[in-house]
Amino acid sequence: MRISLDTDVCIGAGQCALVAPDVFAQDDDGFGTVLPGREDGGSGTLVREAARACPVQAITLDA
Ligand code: SF4
């Protein structure tokens, strides 16, 4: 699985980092980031949940 996070769409809601803190974080401005080395998705279930939780669908997952 590959994670893409569109920073142009992200509004910094932080849901991704709350749901899957092993994979997502928030940068200094509050926008979501994928942690280095976690672009492959880490634990898939939480990543899928995080993508669902994002209020603006900034996270896309490729199988
Ligand atoms: S949940 Fe979505 S809008 Fe919120 S920080 Fe993560 S990617 Fe950005």
Side-chain angles (χ1 to χ4, degrees), residues 4-7 9-18 24-26 30-33 50-51 53-59:
S4 301
L5 196 160
D6 188 340
T7 50
V9 174
C10 173
I11 57 170
Q15 293 301 314
C16 53
L18 278 175
F24 298 99
Q26 285 178 276
F31 293 110
T33 59
C54 177
V56 292
Q57 284 85 49
I59 300 166

Side-chain angles (χ1 to χ4, degrees), residues 24-42:
F24 298 99
Q26 285 178 276
D27 67 15
D28 291 343
D29 296 320
F31 293 110
T33 59
V34 180
L35 291 169
R38 292 309 198 127
E39 295 84 356
D40 67 348

